[in-house]
Structure formats: C-alpha cells, structure tokens
C-alpha cells in the first residue's frame, strides 16, 4: 500500500506498523519523488508513460496506474516470449496467468520479457495428463 501511494495514517491503522517505519519505507522506495515526477510528466504531456513506454491517459493514482500497467505489459510480453520458444497452444490469459496446452513437457523456470530482460520465476501446473 505504501508503494501504491496509500496514506501513512491509513496504512498504520490497517497494518499496525508505526508511522515512522512507514515513512522510512516511503523514503527507501523514493515514493514521493517518483509520484512527483509522474505528476510533472502528466502535467507537461497530458499523459504518463509506463515502464515500457505505453502512454497512460488517466491521472487517477499515478503510481498505482504506472505499476499495474507496467506489470500487465511485462506479463503479456513474457507470455508472448514463452509461446514463441515453446510451441504452445494458448487458450486464455487471466491477469498474471496463461492457460496453454502442449504435448511435450515444459522445462521453464522463469518468464523473461525481451525488453527489460527481467526474469520472474514461474510455476507450471499440469491440469490433466492423458498419457
């Protein structure tokens, strides 16, 4: 909640974390300066760009919008990369999951987005096995 821009008082009340610690977390992650830079970008351009450069037109809770849209773009880019290298048949995407079918065993430990090269560990679940 701190990184997403929630108010210190509300976070403290819900989490029972002392306000001083919450302020230290905000300072560690440069939340205020990041929020200010997003506000300035929006004021100047009428939009902000997420991590991948996609324009975001809403100025409602800029940090949250930036993080959520960047995470969604990571998922789509890395899912596409997985599909390219694995010869999978895609059946659906649900936020941060992809439903696929294949006749071969998958041996992937992570998703990687080809732009940032960020690697995220994955879990592969076999729903049924016809062999």
């Amino acid at each position: 909640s701190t990184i997403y821009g929630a108010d210190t008082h509300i976070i403290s009340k819900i989490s029972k974390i002392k306000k001083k610690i919450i302020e230290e977390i905000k300072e560690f992650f440069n939340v205020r300066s990041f929020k200010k830079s997003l506000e300035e970008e929006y004021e100047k351009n009428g939009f902000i760009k997420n991590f991948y450069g996609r324009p975001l037109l809403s100025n409602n809770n800029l940090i949250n919008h930036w993080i959520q849209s960047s995470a969604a773009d990571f998922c789509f880019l890395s899912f596409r990369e997985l599909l390219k290298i694995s010869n999978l048949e895609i059946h659906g995407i649900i936020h941060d999951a992809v439903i696929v079918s294949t006749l071969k065993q998958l041996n992937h430990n992570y998703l990687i987005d080809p732009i940032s090269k960020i690697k995220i560990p994955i879990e592969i679940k076999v729903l049924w096995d016809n062999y």
Side-chain angles (χ1 to χ4, degrees):
S1 296
T2 299
I3 295 172
Y4 289 120
D7 179 69
T8 300
H9 177 73
I10 292 171
I11 296 168
S12 179
K13 185 176 179 181
I14 293 170
S15 69
K16 308 297 186 232
I17 297 173
K18 293 179 182 178
K19 291 180 183 179
K20 182 179 185 285
I21 302 295
I22 295 167
E23 290 302 321
E24 290 174 6
I25 292 169
K26 286 183 178 184
E27 186 68 30
F28 179 82
F29 286 106
N30 294 316
V31 172
R32 286 181 186 84
S33 64
F34 184 56
K35 181 179 179 182
K36 184 178 181 201
S37 70
L38 291 176
E39 289 169 344
E40 289 170 355
E41 182 181 351
Y42 187 85
E43 187 67 32
K44 177 182 175 190
N45 302 317
F47 62 91
I48 62 171
K49 290 184 179 180
N50 74 2
F51 179 83
Y52 294 94
R54 182 165 53 94
L56 308 172
L57 304 177
S58 172
N59 69 343
N60 186 22
N61 200 344
L62 292 173
I63 293 177
N64 184 43
H65 197 50
W66 187 92
I67 292 171
Q68 294 288 341
S69 69
S70 297
D73 287 359
F74 169 83
C75 288
F76 286 116
L77 290 166
S78 59
F79 290 161
R80 185 180 75 188
E81 194 69 14
L82 178 65
L83 294 171
K84 282 189 342 189
I85 64 173
S86 301
N87 193 29
L88 301 170
E89 183 178 344
I90 188 165
H91 299 288
I93 297 174
I94 306 168
H95 301 290
D96 58 356
V98 63
I99 301 167
V100 298
S101 61
T102 183
L103 296 175
K104 63 180 183 175
Q105 178 71 30
L106 289 178
N107 295 317
H108 297 284
N109 297 320
Y110 58 85
L111 290 174
I112 185 167
D113 130 41
I115 295 172
S116 71
K117 307 295 186 208
I118 294 172
K119 293 181 181 180
I120 302 286
I122 61 171
E123 180 180 342
I124 297 173
K125 291 186 179 185
V126 177
L127 298 180
W128 65 86
D129 190 353
N130 291 332
Y131 302 106

